[in-house]
Coordinates of all heavy atoms in Angstrom, one line a residue:
A21 N -28.3 -9.2 19.1 CA -29.6 -9.6 19.8 C -29.7 -8.8 21.1 O -28.8 -8.2 21.6 CB -29.6 -11.1 20.1
S69 N -48.0 -38.5 23.2 CA -47.5 -39.6 24.0 C -46.5 -39.1 25.0 O -46.5 -37.9 25.3 CB -46.9 -40.7 23.1 OG -46.0 -40.1 22.2
T83 N -35.2 -35.1 6.1 CA -36.6 -35.1 6.7 C -37.4 -33.9 6.4 O -38.5 -33.9 6.1 CB -36.5 -35.4 8.2 OG1 -35.9 -36.6 8.5 CG2 -37.9 -35.4 8.8
I84 N -36.7 -32.7 6.6 CA -37.3 -31.4 6.3 C -37.8 -31.4 4.8 O -38.8 -30.9 4.5 CB -36.3 -30.3 6.6 CG1 -36.1 -30.2 8.1 CG2 -36.9 -29.0 6.1 CD1 -35.0 -29.3 8.5
E85 N -36.9 -31.9 3.9 CA -37.2 -31.8 2.5 C -38.5 -32.6 2.1 O -39.3 -32.2 1.3 CB -36.0 -32.3 1.7 CG -36.2 -32.1 0.2 CD -34.9 -32.4 -0.5 OE1 -34.1 -33.2 0.0 OE2 -34.7 -31.9 -1.6
F90 N -42.4 -30.4 8.5 CA -41.1 -29.8 8.8 C -40.8 -28.8 7.7 O -40.1 -27.8 8.0 CB -40.0 -30.9 8.8 CG -40.0 -31.6 10.2 CD1 -40.4 -32.9 10.3 CD2 -39.6 -30.9 11.3 CE1 -40.4 -33.6 11.5 CE2 -39.6 -31.6 12.5 CZ -40.0 -32.9 12.6
L94 N -39.6 -25.0 8.6 CA -38.4 -24.3 8.0 C -38.8 -22.9 7.5 O -38.1 -22.0 7.6 CB -37.8 -25.1 6.9 CG -36.5 -24.6 6.2 CD1 -35.4 -24.6 7.2 CD2 -36.1 -25.3 5.0
G105 N -19.0 -24.6 20.6 CA -18.4 -25.9 20.4 C -19.5 -26.9 20.5 O -20.6 -26.6 21.0
E122 N -25.0 -52.0 17.1 CA -24.0 -52.9 17.6 C -23.2 -52.2 18.7 O -22.8 -51.1 18.6 CB -23.0 -53.3 16.5 CG -23.6 -54.2 15.4 CD -22.6 -54.8 14.5 OE1 -21.9 -53.9 13.8 OE2 -22.4 -56.0 14.4
V128 N -15.1 -50.9 26.9 CA -14.6 -50.1 25.8 C -15.6 -49.0 25.6 O -16.8 -49.2 25.5 CB -14.5 -51.0 24.5 CG1 -14.0 -50.1 23.4 CG2 -13.5 -52.2 24.8
I131 N -14.7 -42.4 22.1 CA -13.8 -41.3 22.5 C -14.5 -40.0 22.2 O -14.9 -39.7 21.1 CB -12.5 -41.4 21.7 CG1 -11.8 -42.7 21.9 CG2 -11.6 -40.2 22.1 CD1 -10.7 -43.0 20.9
Y133 N -15.0 -36.1 21.5 CA -14.3 -35.0 20.9 C -15.1 -33.7 21.0 O -16.3 -33.7 21.0 CB -14.0 -35.2 19.4 CG -13.0 -36.2 19.1 CD1 -13.1 -37.6 19.2 CD2 -11.7 -35.7 18.5 CE1 -12.2 -38.5 18.9 CE2 -10.7 -36.7 18.2 CZ -11.0 -38.0 18.4 OH -10.0 -38.9 18.0
Q141 N -14.4 -18.5 18.1 CA -15.5 -17.6 18.2 C -16.8 -18.4 18.3 O -16.9 -19.5 17.8 CB -15.6 -16.6 17.0 CG -14.5 -15.6 17.0 CD -14.6 -14.7 18.2 OE1 -15.6 -14.1 18.5 NE2 -13.4 -14.6 18.9
A144 N -23.5 -20.1 15.1 CA -24.9 -20.4 15.1 C -25.2 -21.8 14.6 O -24.8 -22.1 13.4 CB -25.6 -19.3 14.3
T154 N -49.0 -27.4 27.8 CA -49.1 -28.4 28.7 C -50.2 -28.1 29.7 O -50.9 -27.1 29.6 CB -47.8 -28.6 29.5 OG1 -47.6 -27.5 30.4 CG2 -46.6 -28.7 28.6
L172 N -13.8 -33.3 8.0 CA -13.4 -33.3 9.4 C -14.3 -34.2 10.2 O -13.9 -35.1 11.0 CB -13.3 -31.9 10.0 CG -13.1 -31.8 11.5 CD1 -11.6 -32.2 11.8 CD2 -13.3 -30.4 12.0
V182 N -25.9 -28.4 11.3 CA -25.8 -27.3 10.3 C -25.3 -26.0 11.0 O -26.0 -25.5 12.0 CB -27.2 -27.0 9.7 CG1 -27.1 -25.8 8.8 CG2 -27.6 -28.2 8.8
N185 N -23.2 -19.6 8.2 CA -22.2 -18.5 8.1 C -23.0 -17.1 8.3 O -24.2 -17.1 8.4 CB -21.5 -18.5 6.8 CG -22.4 -18.4 5.6 OD1 -23.4 -17.7 5.6 ND2 -22.1 -19.1 4.5
D186 N -22.2 -16.1 8.4 CA -22.8 -14.8 8.7 C -23.8 -14.3 7.7 O -24.8 -13.7 8.1 CB -21.7 -13.7 8.9 CG -20.8 -13.9 10.1 OD1 -21.3 -14.7 11.0 OD2 -19.7 -13.4 10.2
E201 N -36.7 -23.2 -0.9 CA -35.6 -23.8 -1.6 C -34.3 -23.1 -1.2 O -33.2 -23.7 -1.0 CB -35.8 -23.6 -3.2 CG -36.9 -24.5 -3.7 CD -36.8 -25.9 -3.4 OE1 -35.7 -26.4 -3.3 OE2 -37.8 -26.6 -3.2
E214 N -12.3 -24.3 8.4 CA -12.5 -23.3 9.5 C -12.7 -24.0 10.8 O -13.0 -23.2 11.8 CB -13.7 -22.4 9.1 CG -13.4 -21.6 7.8 CD -14.6 -20.7 7.5 OE1 -15.3 -20.3 8.4 OE2 -14.8 -20.4 6.3
Y222 N -13.8 -38.0 29.6 CA -15.0 -38.8 29.6 C -16.0 -38.1 30.6 O -17.2 -38.6 30.6 CB -14.7 -40.2 30.1 CG -14.1 -41.1 29.1 CD1 -12.8 -41.7 29.3 CD2 -14.7 -41.4 27.9 CE1 -12.2 -42.5 28.3 CE2 -14.2 -42.2 26.9 CZ -12.9 -42.8 27.2 OH -12.3 -43.6 26.2
S227 N -24.3 -36.1 31.5 CA -25.0 -34.8 31.2 C -25.1 -33.9 32.5 O -25.3 -32.7 32.4 CB -26.3 -35.0 30.6 OG -27.2 -35.7 31.4
D230 N -21.6 -30.4 34.1 CA -21.6 -29.2 33.3 C -20.6 -28.2 33.9 O -20.9 -27.3 34.6 CB -23.0 -28.6 33.2 CG -23.1 -27.5 32.2 OD1 -22.1 -27.1 31.5 OD2 -24.2 -26.9 32.0

Side-chain angles (χ1 to χ4, degrees):
S69 52
T83 298
I84 294 172
E85 186 171 26
F90 283 110
L94 183 68
E122 290 186 300
V128 178
I131 304 166
Y133 284 76
Q141 292 298 304
T154 68
L172 172 71
V182 172
N185 61 35
D186 290 342
E201 295 303 329
E214 297 183 25
Y222 286 118
S227 61
D230 191 356

